[in-house]
């Protein structure tokens, strides 16, 4: 018979082992979670390093610059500014930094002015005037935040403006002490914002404009992949269909359906960025939103088209009567979008999309001619409705593709894309088989 001490020891050991296993399991899950976040976008690791570096720079300035010793506890505003302002992208950091600096200056100046006016009204009048000033400013600026244009670019600045104005105008101190407090707070915020912006730009910068540029081009390419593969999938006369999960091109276009909000946010932030690479200061970012909206509209048509891939009740003998023009439409439309996507990626002008759009329009006219001859005469209406719907959707998609290509050409004109011919212009020295020397290709 086991003694109570032995039973207690065994139970404790079992409980300890269970707790260790649970902790180890949670640690493994957390490690995998961190790894997934880093693999999804490795730039996040670099951003974390940049935030830590910026805070350390504030600490170094605080202890080694004599001008910082007089700030006292106000130095915490510089630290808070770095943590709040420093974002992953340059555009977001610049937007928050300038908003915070400008709003702090305006809010502080207006707060000092309102405080001085309230003091002139006496003790009782000061309470009344301060209340009126705070109410009017907070109410007006909050109402302005409902404006879509102001909210898109200056929402954060308006919040900081209200906060700074209230902190200064409601402060118990007055006179020179109030001015000194406002000055120190503004200076520490300027220092914090400047350090955040400097670190963000000069250490592995992430340009949100470039991300938007690549995102729009990628969405167009995803829709193009589906269209290029649709003909072979829909008009396949074999009943043996592969697993859809193995055909990624059938699903990639769906990512374009839910990208509206992210594209609009990226376009707003991209306007804050300075000139970088081939992106000018006043780059036509609104054109990217236009192209994104047209791409989404086309993706919705593709979404409707995808329903009939494996749920069509139309026999193959009826589908085959419109196979040639439908296949030509889907293939040429896909090629046109591929060329348009390539134009955006390379930032070059090309006439290739027009050629494929013209081919798609000719195929659409051929399809209309076939439909006018009623190729399904005598067939059950319920069996031909899916096929006729597919034909109608493909005709509509040609219009969408033409609009996308026209929008891309407009972007190429406004953004001064380089003609594709000049990208391949160069001088090639003839190569002799008998000569073993090194030959040079010079590109203009």
């Amino acid at each position: 018979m086991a003694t109570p001490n032995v039973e207690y020891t065994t139970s404790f050991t079992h409980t300890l082992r269970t707790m260790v296993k649970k902790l180890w399991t949670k640690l493994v899950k957390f490690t995998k979670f961190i790894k997934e976040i880093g693999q999804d976008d490795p730039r996040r690791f670099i951003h974390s390093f940049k935030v830590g570096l910026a805070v350390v720079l504030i600490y170094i300035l605080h202890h080694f610059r004599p001008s910082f010793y007089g700030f006292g506890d106000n130095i915490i505003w510089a630290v808070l500014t770095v943590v709040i302002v420093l974002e992953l992208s340059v555009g977001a950091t610049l937007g928050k930094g300038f908003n915070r600096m400008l709003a702090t200056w305006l809010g502080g100046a207006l707060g000092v002015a309102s405080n001085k006016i309230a003091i002139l009204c006496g003790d009782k009048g000061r309470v009344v005037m301060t209340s009126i000033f705070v109410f009017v400013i907070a109410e007006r600026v909050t109402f302005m935040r409902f404006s879509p244009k102001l909210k898109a670019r200056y929402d954060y600045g308006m919040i900081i403006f209200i906060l700074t104005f209230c902190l200064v105008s409601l402060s118990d101190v007055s006179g020179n002490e109030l001015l000194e407090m406002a000055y120190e707070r503004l200076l520490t915020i300027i220092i914090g914002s400047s350090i955040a912006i400097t670190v963000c730009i000069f250490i592995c910068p992430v340009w949100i404009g470039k991300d938007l540029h690549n995102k729009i081009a990628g969405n167009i390419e995803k829709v193009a992949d589906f269209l290029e593969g649709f003909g072979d999938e829909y008009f396949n006369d074999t009943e043996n269909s592969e697993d859809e999960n193995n055909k990624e091109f059938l699903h990639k276009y769906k990512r374009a359906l839910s990208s509206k909000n992210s594209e609009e946010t990226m376009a707003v932030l991209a306007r804050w960025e300075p000139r970088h690479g081939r992106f000018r200061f006043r780059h036509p970012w609104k054109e990217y939103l236009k192209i994104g909206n047209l791409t989404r509209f086309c993706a919705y048509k593709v979404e409707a088209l995808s329903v009939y891939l494996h749920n069509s009740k139309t026999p193959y003998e009826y589908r085959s009567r419109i196979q040639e023009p439908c296949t030509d439409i889907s293939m040429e439309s896909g090629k046109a979008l591929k060329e348009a996507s390539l134009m955006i990626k390379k930032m070059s002008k090309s006439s290739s999309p027009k050629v494929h759009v013209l081919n798609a329009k000719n195929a659409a006219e051929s399809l209309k001619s076939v439909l006018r001859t009623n190729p399904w005469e005598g067939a059950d209406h319920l069996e031909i409705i899916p096929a006729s719907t597919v034909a109608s959707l493909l005709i509509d998609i040609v219009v969408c593709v033409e609009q996308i290509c026209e929008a891309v050409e407009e972007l190429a004109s406004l953004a001064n894309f380089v003609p594709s011919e000049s990208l391949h212009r160069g001088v090639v020295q003839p190569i002799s088989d008998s000569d073993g020397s090194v030959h040079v290709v010079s590109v203009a």
Side-chain angles (χ1 to χ4, degrees), residues 73-86:
D73 294 336
N74 279 331
I75 194 62
I76 194 64
W77 288 97
V79 177
L80 291 175
T81 299
V82 167
V83 174
I84 294 172
V85 167
L86 187 52

Side-chain angles (χ1 to χ4, degrees), residues 102-145:
L102 182 61
T104 302
W105 176 69
L106 290 175
L110 192 60
V112 171
S114 64
N115 190 280
K116 286 185 176 294
I117 293 174
I119 290 175
L120 297 176
C121 299
D123 292 339
K124 293 183 179 179
R126 179 182 181 181
V127 177
V128 175
M129 291 301 296
T130 300
S131 300
I132 293 174
F133 285 140
V134 170
F135 172 79
V136 171
I137 294 297
E139 184 267 337
R140 285 292 88 191
V141 177
T142 301
F143 184 76
M144 290 168 61
R145 291 181 61 204

Side-chain angles (χ1 to χ4, degrees), residues 258-322:
S258 58
S259 61
K260 179 179 175 62
N261 292 333
S262 62
E263 287 174 6
E264 290 179 348
T265 302
M266 293 166 78
V268 170
L269 297 177
R271 296 176 192 173
W272 289 101
E273 294 181 343
R275 180 168 183 164
H276 55 281
R278 295 174 63 185
F279 297 96
R280 299 175 299 158
F281 180 70
R282 299 185 65 85
H283 197 73
W285 299 113
K286 288 185 178 180
E287 289 300 314
Y288 287 92
L289 295 180
K290 179 181 177 181
I291 296 172
N293 289 332
L294 291 173
T295 304
R296 257 185 307 279
F297 185 72
C298 186
Y300 285 123
K301 297 282 186 182
V302 167
E303 176 80 359
L305 200 61
S306 66
V307 175
Y308 297 95
L309 271 178
H310 300 290
N311 297 328
S312 177
K313 297 181 181 180
T314 305
Y316 174 73
E317 60 178 311
Y318 296 143
R319 282 180 284 155
S320 62
R321 297 176 188 179
I322 59 170

Side-chain angles (χ1 to χ4, degrees), residues 161-276:
F161 174 82
I162 296 173
L163 176 63
T164 305
F165 174 78
C166 293
L167 286 175
V168 175
S169 60
L170 298 178
S171 177
D172 293 333
V173 298
S174 59
N176 293 333
E177 292 183 3
L178 183 63
L179 285 173
E180 185 178 353
M181 181 191 72
Y183 166 75
E184 290 178 357
R185 191 159 296 177
L186 174 62
L187 188 57
T188 51
I189 287 175
I190 291 175
I191 292 171
S193 298
S194 301
I195 289 177
I197 292 171
T198 302
V199 170
C200 187
I201 292 178
F202 292 101
I203 299 179
C204 300
V206 176
W207 304 103
I208 196 73
K210 187 176 181 180
D211 287 350
L212 174 62
H213 181 88
N214 295 332
K215 186 180 184 68
I216 295 295
N219 286 342
I220 295 175
E221 187 175 5
K222 292 178 179 67
V223 176
D225 288 338
F226 178 92
L227 290 175
E228 284 187 335
F230 173 78
D232 293 336
E233 287 294 317
Y234 182 74
F235 294 103
N236 186 4
D237 59 344
T238 60
E239 298 297 330
N240 183 22
S241 58
E242 299 178 15
D243 186 7
E244 285 191 35
N245 295 326
N246 296 329
K247 300 176 181 179
E248 191 179 356
F249 71 90
L250 295 177
H251 309 282
K252 288 194 299 184
Y253 73 91
K254 294 182 179 179
R255 299 172 190 171
L257 299 175
S258 58
S259 61
K260 179 179 175 62
N261 292 333
S262 62
E263 287 174 6
E264 290 179 348
T265 302
M266 293 166 78
V268 170
L269 297 177
R271 296 176 192 173
W272 289 101
E273 294 181 343
R275 180 168 183 164
H276 55 281

